[in-house]
Amino acid sequence: MIFWAFAGGASANEPTAQGLRIATFNTELSRKGPGLLLRDILRGEAQVQAVVAVIADTRPDIVLLQDFDFDHGRQALTAFADLLRLRGVDYPFVFALRPNSGRPTGLDLDGDGRLGHARDAQGYGQFSGQGGMALLSRYPVEEEGVRDFSPLLWAELPGAEGATRPEVLPDAFRDVQRLSAVAHWLVPVATPKGRVNLLAFHASPPVFDGPEDRNGYRNADELRLWLALLAGQLGPVPEGPVVLLGDANNDPTLGEGQKPPLLALLGHPDLQDPLAAKGPTVNWAQTGPMRVDYVLPSRDVTVIAAGISDADPAASRHRLVWVDIKPP
């Protein structure tokens, strides 16, 4: 059963032969210690199986996963792909890089007088790699062409508003604090339809701070990173089709997040929003339904269909969001 936002002849569990199905899904599979996610995958834990079922039902060609713990050997990701293969969905290509979440800074970023805690990391995390990001693909990832923007310092982003406010980014942190709370990647994938450049990310929640709105400014500047890339301010603009996808942790109208950068992406002249104002992608107890997960293809591709999976609380509070595209 699928919530339909746009349809042009494809069903949610039957991708079109003419197009590519690209999806994003915040799995909420993060665990409280290193190795625990791999343990739960190998055990076939109930939530893991529920997440697998959501992906297997929708059968994307490429799916970006958020809140999926990173390990250096990609063992958890490989084991997760093995479970999907048992459900008839084969992803021979897996990709992940170490995220900023849980990466130590050596600084007391939260000002509590203690070092090494979750809020002192580059991005919130109880261990390095907690709540990371990962990619599963039916087609080869051109790893030599990957650009990882996660090491970019907050103060180095052109137009970063948070970096101009000492109460948000103190001088003592400017040479250490990275912008990405989790990760920002440009990932080229070699598909039968030609190369597709994925702009993949998971932004920080714009809450859990004080009146200085530090997390709100960070979230806004994480979205501005993509505006800077598309404007050619972070090196060459990707050649060929682009798909921006991930969890922005920001709704166009609801919630505490700063709206201008998100609205600038949703209305960007080079991007299209096939699921504009068509339904929530998450249901948080504190806020209710909101739209925070996005798949935005560039305007040089044809959108065949798009949709949002049904909510499955056994899997995640988030829904999987997918778009079928036909590259030029």
Side-chain angles (χ1 to χ4, degrees):
M1 184 176 177
I2 292 294
F3 173 86
W4 281 99
F6 171 91
S11 70
N13 48 14
E14 186 180 348
T16 66
Q18 298 81 18
L20 298 167
R21 177 161 292 177
I22 299 178
T24 187
F25 188 22
N26 186 324
T27 63
E28 296 192 315
L29 284 175
S30 179
R31 298 298 186 255
K32 293 184 178 180
L36 298 184
L37 177 57
L38 176 60
R39 177 203 66 185
D40 288 350
I41 292 171
L42 296 177
R43 288 178 175 178
E45 185 261 352
Q47 187 205 359
V48 171
Q49 294 289 359
V51 171
V52 165
V54 171
I55 298 172
D57 183 62
T58 314
R59 306 178 68 86
D61 296 303
I62 302 167
V63 57
L64 177 70
L65 310 176
Q66 298 91 42
D67 216 2
F68 191 100
D69 294 342
F70 172 82
D71 60 67
H72 284 282
R74 300 178 183 173
Q75 295 180 62
L77 185 57
T78 301
F80 188 73
D82 289 342
L83 288 184
L84 282 160
R85 188 176 300 112
L86 293 175
R87 294 290 299 265
V89 188
D90 190 11
Y91 295 109
F93 303 99
V94 301
F95 177 79
L97 296 173
R98 182 184 175 188
N100 285 339
S101 48
R103 185 187 287 262
T105 64
L107 298 174
D108 180 17
L109 293 182
D110 63 357
D112 67 354
R114 300 178 296 175
L115 298 177
H117 287 247
R119 296 187 186 278
D120 297 323
Q122 289 288 1
Y124 182 91
Q126 296 169 309
F127 61 90
S128 185
Q130 184 182 34
M133 201 164 71
L135 191 72
L136 299 173
S137 177
R138 292 179 55 197
Y139 307 117
V141 173
E142 298 180 348
E143 295 202 27
E144 68 282 357
V146 169
R147 295 166 63 188
D148 183 9
F149 298 99
S150 307
L152 182 74
L153 295 179
W154 193 344
E156 293 176 332
L157 177 72
E161 290 194 6
T164 68
R165 297 173 174 267
E167 71 276 16
V168 171
L169 185 63
D171 289 343
F173 300 161
R174 291 178 70 86
D175 293 336
V176 175
Q177 179 66 77
R178 298 180 176 191
L179 173 60
S180 300
V182 180
H184 285 72
W185 306 331
L186 190 161
V187 184
V189 178
T191 81
K193 312 295 182 181
R195 177 185 294 136
V196 174
N197 298 289
L198 306 177
L199 306 184
F201 76 113
H202 186 185
S204 56
V207 290
F208 310 121
D209 52 16
E212 81 291 342
D213 196 24
R214 185 178 193 273
N215 291 337
Y217 277 102
R218 189 177 192 181
N219 176 278
D221 285 338
E222 287 179 280
L223 300 177
R224 287 190 179 97
L225 185 151
W226 295 131
L227 295 172
L229 176 69
L230 294 172
Q233 296 176 314
L234 295 177
V237 178
E239 295 184 6
V242 163
V243 179
L244 191 156
L245 72 168
D247 182 351
N249 260 315
N250 203 333
D251 181 281
T253 59
L254 304 174
E256 297 185 28
Q258 299 180 22
K259 306 309 178 187
L262 176 62
L263 295 176
L265 282 174
L266 295 177
H268 197 282
D270 294 336
L271 301 174
Q272 52 185 318
D273 183 9
L275 294 166
K278 295 297 184 180
T281 67
V282 69
N283 190 359
W284 287 311
Q286 304 91 329
T287 62
M290 298 178 73
R291 186 189 185 205
V292 302
D293 307 278
Y294 301 90
V295 180
L296 307 177
S298 53
R299 290 195 176 274
D300 57 352
V301 307
T302 300
V303 173
I304 302 169
I308 303 170
S309 72
D310 261 349
D312 182 0
S316 171
R317 291 171 296 176
H318 291 255
R319 302 180 181 192
L320 181 147
V321 178
W322 58 269
V323 175
D324 288 350
I325 65 169
K326 182 179 180 182

